[in-house]
């Protein structure tokens, strides 16, 4: 215990000593926390605030690498483990099956199984399938996986010839129209208003859109956008069904909220009804899908729609080194527009690392060969191939890098390919392992092996696994990499759970398949910047960072240019430690050297000067509380000034020091007797409310109160950690204690 009146020193197991890390660096098979309070261990102050803010609307503004998924999964798990949330009443929605699977996997590891974590489409489809017979009658029409053939048939019916590229572009326009709830007759004016560059005459696209809808009706099929549209229609038209859904789901969490479309927002509103038990998480600076109808406006307007919301800003970056974070902040410092006005200034929590490297090449093949050569050197020096990625603006750039890596003997995997557990070789391996687990006693392959990893290697040797990888690349190498990932997983599983059997491993694989929690495949990742969002690697090569590619040639408007800047920002923030940026002066050997580095790097790469700039500071981390029960416009934003120590004047950045308004090392004038009275009072309040003591006030807040000994509510409200909610609930008690007039009754309880 610390001496009376002295601040408790954090142990090596606290967030301040690096235990808050990205999921990639967490233990493969962690122990389930043994209590609700244990779920909160290792969270930083802002993440902890997210996790314990279980009532009313909550908006989490989370910068890249700040642990947003960690914060919201611990929030759900804490609510479930504390008995505040029932698992089946929680619906967490996100945008990709991978993200939903990761969320389910983390909740399972935290002891919160039973929570529904799904994509918007998956959640809507489940409800639509269940209620369709009651709402419409009969069975739900067949859902088509790909709509491009239907678009081709619609074009044929209209006697309009479309090549493959035009088919893809028209399909994208139809998808955009549907998620923005635009009908065919309104397409032309809506596209003009949105500033979209239609791939063909807008009237022609409207005609194709209408014909496409006719083809679907004739064939009794629906597409993915129809799933959302039809669910919205059913919930709007059938109040009884809407009430049944709302009775099932009473608490909602939305990840990547900056990516919601108007249609998804409408569905969310129908799920909620008149309630406000909603937590949204997002970062306007990572809005990179506006071409699909996504808009950050719902995130940025959240406080306007919910004036009573708690807003928590996460800016502590646990992913990237200060050098990478500096570049990321520099990119956004030059940004313009509404999203830029709400940017978050990241603060790296990692030790310093190498500066980003900038390389200019004569042509694109030379750039690819240079990247492959450096990657070969990194792998030879001990860097795992799975911790390296090459990120590019368009998928068409992939082929050059695939060839260069193959020539260098570097294994790779393409991001965006089929999911791990859906691969044919993985499915066959699962069948073989399941059979061995059931009938292993009759399998001669297992006669001479005893430990689990040896059993797995023996079984998978019959499926094509060998101790050494096959030569070259291509499909054979990719199949081997999949099987090798299962072998490595078996080794990790056996190390984490001594005595585990083959049947235990099969059960683990089944759970991972359900959560899409894939093991690591050893190979350099090749991915587009769009598909890399949400991922991270130790080493990232950002290639083709030149004008015409970044920003892309067809980005014309200010809004489109700014989205390209955000796309590069997403790419930069994928790197944990090593970041390589490169560009080529010409496309092919011997071509004209008429390209230049991306304008986004002006003023950031060595030897360049900035062409644009901003002087406003980025958003700092912290917590803003709304006024419960208020409606109407949000409170006026107050310009924040840097917090400074009231003793020595140094700028404060640590959340604990900011609460005290002094450095930890500066002398304290705290009334120790008052501090002990406040601690006793807090313990009594926590016991009565059945919540942890820190949920009343943290030690730091109590120390700050004891140091300032406020005389009135105005002085008490100025102390960090005393928000409007706690002032209303506990203010009278605290002021009475400070004045020596507290009688220990039920004052302040609601």
């Amino acid at each position: 215990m610390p001496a009376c009146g002295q601040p408790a020193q954090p142990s090596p197991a606290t967030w301040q000593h690096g235990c808050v890390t990205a999921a990639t660096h967490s233990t493969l098979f962690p122990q389930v926390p043994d209590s609700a309070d244990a779920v909160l261990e290792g969270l930083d102050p802002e993440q902890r605030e997210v996790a314990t803010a279980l009532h009313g609307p909550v908006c989490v503004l989370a910068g890249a690498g700040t642990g947003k998924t960690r914060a919201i999964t611990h929030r759900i798990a804490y609510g479930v483990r504390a008995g505040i949330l029932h698992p089946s009443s929680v619906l967490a929605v996100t945008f990709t099956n991978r993200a939903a699977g990761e969320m389910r996997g983390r909740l399972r590891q935290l002891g919160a199984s039973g929570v529904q974590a799904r994509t918007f489409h998956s959640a809507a489809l489940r409800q639509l399938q269940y209620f369709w017979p009651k709402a419409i009658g009969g069975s739900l029409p067949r859902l088509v996986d790909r709509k491009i053939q239907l678009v081709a048939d619609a074009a044929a019916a209209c006697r309009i010839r479309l090549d493959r590229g035009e088919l893809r572009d028209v399909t994208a326009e139809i998808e955009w129209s549907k998620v923005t709830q635009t009908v065919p007759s309104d397409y032309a004016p809506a596209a003009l208003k949105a500033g979209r560059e239609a791939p063909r005459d807008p009237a022609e696209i409207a005609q194709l859109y209408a014909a496409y809808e006719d083809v679907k009706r004739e064939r009794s099929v629906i597409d993915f956008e129809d799933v959302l549209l039809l669910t919205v229609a059913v919930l709007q038209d059938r109040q009884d069904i809407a009430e049944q859904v709302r009775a099932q789901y009473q608490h909602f969490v939305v990840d990547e909220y900056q990516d919601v479309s108007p249609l998804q927002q409408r569905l969310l509103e129908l799920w909620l009804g008149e309630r406000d038990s909603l937590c949204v998480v997002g970062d306007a600076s990572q809005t990179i899908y506006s071409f699909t109808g996504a808009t950050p406006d719902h995130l940025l307007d959240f406080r306007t729609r919910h004036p009573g919301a708690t807003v928590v800003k996460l800016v502590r970056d646990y992913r990237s080194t200060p050098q990478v974070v500096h570049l990321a902040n520099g990119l956004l410092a030059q940004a313009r527009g509404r999203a830029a006005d709400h940017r978050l200034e990241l603060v790296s929590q990692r030790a310093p690392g190498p500066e980003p490297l900038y390389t200019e090449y004569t042509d694109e093949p030379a750039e690819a060969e240079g990247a492959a050569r450096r990657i070969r050197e990194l792998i030879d020096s001990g860097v795992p191939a799975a911790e390296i990625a090459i990120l590019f603006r368009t998928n068409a750039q992939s082929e050059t890098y695939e060839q260069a890596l193959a020539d260098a003997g570097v294994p790779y995997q393409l991001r965006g390919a089929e999911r791990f557990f859906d691969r044919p070789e993985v499915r066959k391996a699962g069948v073989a392992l399941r059979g061995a687990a059931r009938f292993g006693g009759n399998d001669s392959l297992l006669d001479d092996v005893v430990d689990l990893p040896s059993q797995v290697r023996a079984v998978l040797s019959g499926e094509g696994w060998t101790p050494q990888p096959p030569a070259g690349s291509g499909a054979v190498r990719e199949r081997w990499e999949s099987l090798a990932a299962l072998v490595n997983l078996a080794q990790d599983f056996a190390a984490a759970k001594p005595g585990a059997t083959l049947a235990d491993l099969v059960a683990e694989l089944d759970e991972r398949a359900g959560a899409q929690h894939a093991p690591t495949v050893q190979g350099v990742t090749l991915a587009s910047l769009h598909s890399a969002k949400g991922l991270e690697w130790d080493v990232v090569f950002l290639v083709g960072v030149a004008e015409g590619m970044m920003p892309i040639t067809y980005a014309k408007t200010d809004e489109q240019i700014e989205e390209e800047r955000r796309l590069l920002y997403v790419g930069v923030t994928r790197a944990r430690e090593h970041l390589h940026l490169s560009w080529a002066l010409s496309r092919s050997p011997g071509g004209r050297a008429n390209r230049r580095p991306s304008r986004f790097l002006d003023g950031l790469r060595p030897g360049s000067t900035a062409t644009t700039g901003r002087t406003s500071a980025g958003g700092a981390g912290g917590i803003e509380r709304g006024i419960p029960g208020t409606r109407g416009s949000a409170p006026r934003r107050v310009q924040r000034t840097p917090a400074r120590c009231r003793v020595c004047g140094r700028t404060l950045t640590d959340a604990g020091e900011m609460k005290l308004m002094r450095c930890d090392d500066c002398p304290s004038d705290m009334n120790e007797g008052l501090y002990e009275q406040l601690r006793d009072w807090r313990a009594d309040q926590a016991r009565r409310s059945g919540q942890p003591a820190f949920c009343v006030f943290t030690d730091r807040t109590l120390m700050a109160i004891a140091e300032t000994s406020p005389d009135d509510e105005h002085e008490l409200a100025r102390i960090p950690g005393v928000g409007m909610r706690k002032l209303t609930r506990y203010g009278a008690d605290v002021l009475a204690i400070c004045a020596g007039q507290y009688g220990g009754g039920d004052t302040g309880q609601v």
Side-chain angles (χ1 to χ4, degrees):
M1 292 291 291
C4 183
Q6 295 302 309
Q9 295 300 313
S11 69
T14 67
W15 61 272
Q16 291 165 307
H17 285 72
C19 282
V20 179
T21 58
T24 312
H25 284 172
S26 63
T27 306
L28 280 174
F29 301 97
Q31 295 296 315
V32 174
D34 58 8
S35 66
D37 286 346
V39 171
L40 303 177
E41 292 177 2
L43 300 181
D44 70 29
E46 292 80 25
Q47 292 172 340
R48 184 180 288 255
E49 184 69 27
V50 174
T52 55
L54 295 171
H55 301 288
V58 177
C59 179
V60 184
L61 302 176
T66 57
K68 69 176 180 64
T69 305
R70 179 184 178 90
I72 58 174
T73 51
H74 281 68
R75 179 182 191 271
I76 296 170
Y78 176 71
V80 169
R81 299 291 297 276
I84 299 171
L85 304 176
H86 193 278
S88 63
S89 72
V90 180
L91 178 58
V93 288
T94 187
F95 287 82
T96 67
N97 287 314
R98 183 196 59 78
E102 180 185 357
M103 198 177 292
R104 288 193 297 272
R106 291 201 192 192
L107 289 170
R108 176 169 67 95
Q109 293 170 351
L110 292 170
S113 298
V115 172
Q116 292 293 317
R118 297 179 173 275
T119 65
F120 270 99
H121 284 88
S122 173
L125 180 60
R126 193 178 189 197
Q127 293 174 19
L128 198 60
Q129 289 171 329
Y130 183 82
F131 289 112
W132 187 269
K134 178 179 179 180
I136 309 299
S139 57
L140 183 69
R142 180 174 63 86
L143 177 64
V144 293
D145 291 331
R146 301 178 71 237
K147 57 174 67 70
I148 199 162
Q149 183 57 55
L150 295 178
V151 175
D153 294 343
C158 296
R159 297 186 178 182
I160 297 175
R161 293 181 60 85
L162 299 176
D163 61 28
R164 181 177 298 180
E166 289 174 321
L167 270 175
R168 185 175 60 247
D169 292 342
V170 169
T171 299
E173 289 304 295
I174 291 174
E175 290 174 347
W176 173 82
S177 299
K178 299 184 78 164
V179 300
T180 56
Q181 298 176 282
T182 302
V183 297
S185 59
D186 293 338
Y187 169 78
L192 180 64
K193 183 179 179 180
R196 294 183 73 83
E197 291 191 14
R200 294 181 71 96
D201 180 83
E204 204 168 49
I205 292 179
Q207 181 186 4
L208 289 167
Y209 179 13
Y212 168 77
E213 293 297 316
D214 290 339
V215 169
K216 284 198 293 121
R217 278 191 293 271
E218 291 168 4
R219 300 180 186 180
S220 297
V221 297
I222 59 175
D223 60 28
F224 277 101
E225 289 72 38
D226 290 330
V227 170
L228 299 183
L229 285 164
L230 291 170
T231 305
V232 164
V234 168
L235 295 178
Q236 284 181 160
D237 295 345
R238 292 291 298 269
Q239 185 67 22
D240 57 330
I241 292 177
E243 291 302 326
Q244 192 172 341
V245 172
R246 292 167 192 160
Q248 170 70 53
Y249 296 118
Q250 298 163 18
H251 189 89
F252 296 85
V253 176
V254 185
D255 194 12
E256 304 288 4
Y257 192 56
Q258 78 279 351
D259 289 334
V260 295
S261 68
L263 180 55
Q264 290 164 332
Q265 176 64 22
R266 179 58 185 145
L267 178 58
L268 179 62
E269 291 167 354
L270 288 167
W271 282 339
L272 271 168
E274 297 299 317
R275 301 165 300 175
D276 64 359
S277 188
L278 171 66
C279 174
V280 301
V281 190
D283 178 10
S285 296
Q286 296 188 68
T287 305
I288 59 174
Y289 296 108
S290 65
F291 60 92
T292 66
T295 170
D297 289 345
H298 304 299
L299 175 67
L300 299 179
D301 293 338
F302 191 84
R303 193 71 178 271
T304 302
R305 297 195 311 276
H306 303 280
T310 296
V311 178
V312 184
K313 297 179 181 179
L314 305 182
V315 298
R316 303 176 200 263
D317 188 318
Y318 299 98
R319 174 188 299 157
S320 305
T321 63
Q323 287 74 15
V324 173
V325 167
H326 178 72
L327 175 57
N329 286 336
L331 284 170
L332 292 188
Q334 300 181 21
R336 299 182 181 277
R338 192 177 183 212
D341 291 338
H342 293 79
R343 67 188 176 92
L344 298 170
E345 185 97 11
L346 299 178
V347 181
S348 175
Q349 306 296 298
R350 292 194 56 180
E355 291 289 340
L357 295 178
Y358 301 85
T359 308
E360 184 172 275
Y361 292 93
T362 57
D363 52 64
E364 288 184 1
E367 184 181 8
E369 291 166 9
R373 184 169 56 252
R374 287 189 175 183
I375 290 172
R376 180 74 270 171
E377 293 169 356
L378 287 167
I379 294 174
D380 291 343
S381 69
V383 178
E387 292 297 348
I388 304 173
I390 297 176
L391 306 182
F392 33 74
R393 176 61 180 85
T394 67
N395 288 319
Q397 295 168 268
S398 174
E399 185 178 356
T400 302
Y401 289 89
E402 290 180 55
Q403 186 61 54
L405 291 175
D407 291 344
V410 174
Y412 65 87
Q413 57 175 330
L414 289 173
R415 180 71 197 168
E418 60 190 333
R419 293 182 289 181
F420 181 84
F421 289 103
D422 291 338
R423 298 177 185 176
E425 65 272 18
V426 174
R427 296 169 72 93
K428 286 184 63 180
V431 172
L433 289 171
R434 188 171 288 103
R438 291 179 179 174
F439 312 111
N442 299 321
D443 192 336
S444 59
L445 282 173
L446 304 181
D447 286 347
D448 300 323
V449 295
V450 289
D451 65 308
L452 177 59
S454 297
Q455 290 176 326
V456 172
R457 286 192 292 268
V459 173
L460 296 187
S461 64
E463 301 300 320
W465 178 83
T466 56
Q468 297 299 320
S473 58
V476 173
R477 179 60 183 253
E478 288 183 8
R479 285 195 294 271
W480 184 90
E481 294 288 358
S482 297
L483 299 177
L486 294 175
V487 170
N488 293 334
L489 179 67
Q491 293 171 340
D492 293 331
F493 187 68
K497 300 180 181 297
T501 66
L502 197 54
D504 295 329
L505 176 65
V506 168
E508 173 69 19
L509 289 174
D510 287 342
E511 289 202 43
R512 282 173 169 258
Q516 285 300 325
H517 183 189
T520 301
V521 175
Q522 286 302 325
V524 172
T525 300
L526 288 170
S528 70
L529 287 166
H530 282 99
S531 65
K533 190 171 180 297
L535 303 174
E536 58 189 76
W537 297 269
D538 285 344
V539 186
V540 168
F541 287 78
L542 285 174
V543 300
V545 190
E547 286 292 304
M549 193 61 74
M550 182 60 66
I552 199 75
T553 305
Y554 52 76
K556 303 293 186 183
T557 67
D558 290 343
E559 291 80 6
Q560 291 168 340
I561 295 294
E562 287 306 317
E563 181 147 336
E564 292 289 297
R565 188 194 308 275
R566 294 194 295 270
L567 191 56
L568 181 58
Y569 171 80
V570 166
V572 167
T573 54
R574 299 310 94 195
R576 298 194 194 102
E577 187 169 2
H578 297 275
L579 179 61
H580 301 253
L581 299 98
S582 64
W583 57 92
L585 297 177
S586 66
R587 180 177 181 181
S588 55
R592 288 185 58 190
N594 57 357
R595 292 181 176 177
R596 62 174 297 269
S598 170
R599 73 190 75 171
F600 299 146
L601 299 181
D602 290 347
L604 300 174
R605 61 183 175 86
S608 65
T609 56
T611 54
T612 60
R614 296 170 58 87
T615 57
S616 60
I623 302 150
E624 300 173 9
R625 304 188 190 284
I627 303 172
T630 58
R631 297 194 178 275
S633 60
R636 184 168 58 90
R637 293 180 62 187
V638 178
Q639 184 68 33
R640 292 188 175 187
T641 57
R644 299 187 182 278
C645 175
R646 54 189 167 83
V647 180
C648 69
R650 182 178 69 85
T651 299
L652 303 176
T653 57
D654 177 78
E657 292 182 343
M658 290 170 70
K659 281 193 175 182
L660 294 176
M661 292 305 293
R662 66 169 174 81
C663 306
D664 273 337
D665 297 330
C666 285
S668 168
D669 54 355
M670 184 176 69
N671 182 332
E672 295 184 2
L674 175 57
Y675 178 68
E676 290 303 317
Q677 284 183 286
L678 289 168
R679 283 176 59 89
D680 291 342
W681 166 84
R682 181 183 65 176
D684 184 54
Q685 297 296 318
R687 186 168 51 253
R688 292 180 183 180
S689 61
Q691 60 183 342
F694 66 79
C695 289
V696 181
F697 285 118
T698 65
D699 286 346
R700 292 276 185 158
T701 301
L702 292 188
M703 291 171 65
I705 294 171
E707 287 187 358
T708 57
S709 190
D711 293 325
D712 54 37
E713 286 191 352
H714 178 70
E715 291 184 12
L716 180 59
R718 294 177 61 185
I719 296 174
V722 182
M724 182 61 69
R725 180 172 61 85
K726 291 187 178 181
L727 182 66
T728 302
R729 187 171 188 179
Y730 303 124
D733 280 8
V734 171
L735 291 172
I737 294 170
C738 292
Q741 300 172 352
Y742 180 65
D746 288 334
T747 307
Q749 290 297 306
V750 294

